[in-house]
Amino acid sequence: MAEALSVDLGTIQGRETGRRPLANMKAGAFLELRRRLLTFGADQRTLGLLDAAMDADRIIGAALDPPAWPELHPLAGWVHTRDTAHMIAWALNGTLPPGLRCPSSARRGPVAPAPLLGARDRNAFFANLRNAVDMASGAADGRALLHRQALYLTSYDRSPEANAWTAQALHARRGLFAAQGGSPRWAQARSIATALARRGDPVPLLDFIDRSIADDDAAEAANLNYWAYWMGALREPQPDDAFMADRELTGWDPATLLRGLAQGFHESPGYVDLYAHSLWALLTAHTWLPQASPALARALADRVTAILDGGSISPRSRRELSAVHYVLSDHQH
């Protein structure tokens, strides 16, 4: 590899061990490395995750060694994506990101199964995040993004000593569920509801769908815009949550979002009600989607059938998924 890239062996070893982080490379050298790896046959999807991996590395680094000013924290500077969240989770609990779930060839020598943080670093990561949440709580809007994203990431901590703090911090803000769609408070309420669902409490998410998304055009648009960014249908980086307020649903690809939501049904069963409502809203806004992606529509129709037969969804989700199934099936004939 060193010979192919025209670098010395120590450079490759330094990159593999983290002693020479890719984020420290000059921009031109990094672009050249990515292109050379592509010509060598590297997986395109994996190469596409390098940006998310380096974003995750910056977030983890800032959580372990917080900047002097909260406004300089990476979680205050841009909205992170699902790929970044998956990379962070990989370092925290060893869960392999879905985009990396592909066969790999055998490796020589001992290889760690995941880039797991050690217990001390993991504890410091969550302790400093909780401090960031407390520091940003009730502060000016400039720290709203830091508060929302740091609070969401604290819910990844499943240690017994953290459960009480996390549960109290999340439940104390459930009053936000009536916030206006597209506002920073609405975005925070959505994060809180999804964090609680991931921790095994689905009721707040159901309440949020009923009270803060359904039958509110601004909130419906905000929800789809957030999904689009989270899943890569909106590719431009966003410095804050203002992009969710676009009620015209411009700037992102509906077909990409449909694929992401369809995939999420398999990977995130705890969010099935949010996926169901979002699918219904997406197909209501873009009725042409099943015709544009017939194979995906057929596969999604089968998945929706299985969920409807399973019976573990809310009455609203059952109504909306029935409508989704009708639309998907109608375009198969």
Side-chain angles (χ1 to χ4, degrees), residues 113-129:
L116 275 171
L117 294 177
R120 178 179 297 178
D121 281 345
R122 190 163 57 249
N123 291 337
F125 175 90
F126 287 119
N128 289 333
L129 275 186

Side-chain angles (χ1 to χ4, degrees), residues 28-239:
F30 178 65
L31 289 174
E32 178 64 18
L33 174 63
R34 292 178 67 154
R35 289 166 182 162
R36 293 289 299 279
L37 290 174
L38 185 63
T39 64
F40 297 155
D43 178 71
Q44 293 183 22
R45 170 63 177 162
T46 303
L47 284 178
L49 290 172
L50 277 175
D51 288 343
M54 289 196 294
D55 278 346
D57 195 53
R58 284 192 62 199
I59 292 169
I60 292 170
L64 294 176
D65 184 15
W69 300 98
E71 291 79 5
L72 298 179
H73 199 293
L75 292 175
W78 77 91
V79 184
H80 71 250
T81 65
R82 178 179 62 169
D83 285 341
T84 301
H86 283 162
M87 289 291 177
I88 294 172
W90 195 19
L92 293 174
N93 58 36
T95 302
L96 187 68
L100 294 179
R101 288 175 183 164
C102 54
S104 59
S105 57
R107 303 277 296 277
R108 291 194 298 272
V111 179
L116 275 171
L117 294 177
R120 178 179 297 178
D121 281 345
R122 190 163 57 249
N123 291 337
F125 175 90
F126 287 119
N128 289 333
L129 275 186
R130 288 191 286 270
N131 288 338
V133 171
D134 291 337
M135 192 182 316
S137 180
D141 287 345
R143 297 186 183 181
L145 186 61
L146 171 60
H147 185 272
R148 176 175 76 78
Q149 298 194 128
L151 179 58
Y152 182 82
L153 288 177
T154 61
S155 69
Y156 281 61
D157 189 354
R158 306 310 292 267
S159 62
E161 58 272 17
N163 282 336
W165 185 96
T166 305
Q168 191 278 332
L170 292 172
H171 282 287
R173 293 165 175 83
R174 287 181 61 174
L176 296 172
F177 287 4
Q180 182 180 3
S183 70
R185 288 169 58 85
W186 182 92
Q188 187 181 62
R190 187 185 188 281
S191 287
I192 290 170
T194 54
L196 286 168
R198 189 159 49 77
R199 292 177 62 85
D201 183 1
V203 175
L205 184 56
L206 293 173
D207 289 345
F208 181 74
I209 295 169
D210 285 339
R211 297 169 55 189
S212 298
I213 301 182
D215 304 320
D216 180 337
D217 290 344
E220 295 283 13
N223 183 54
L224 290 179
N225 287 331
Y226 186 83
W227 272 126
Y229 182 75
W230 183 251
M231 292 185 165
L234 173 60
R235 301 193 63 82
E236 292 76 18
Q238 300 297 322

Side-chain angles (χ1 to χ4, degrees), residues 1-16 20 22 25 28-42 47 50:
M1 177 63 75
E3 291 177 358
L5 294 174
S6 301
V7 298
D8 61 73
L9 185 61
T11 297
I12 296 296
Q13 292 172 333
R15 290 171 182 167
E16 290 182 335
R20 303 185 67 168
L22 292 181
M25 293 179 67
F30 178 65
L31 289 174
E32 178 64 18
L33 174 63
R34 292 178 67 154
R35 289 166 182 162
R36 293 289 299 279
L37 290 174
L38 185 63
T39 64
F40 297 155
L47 284 178
L50 277 175

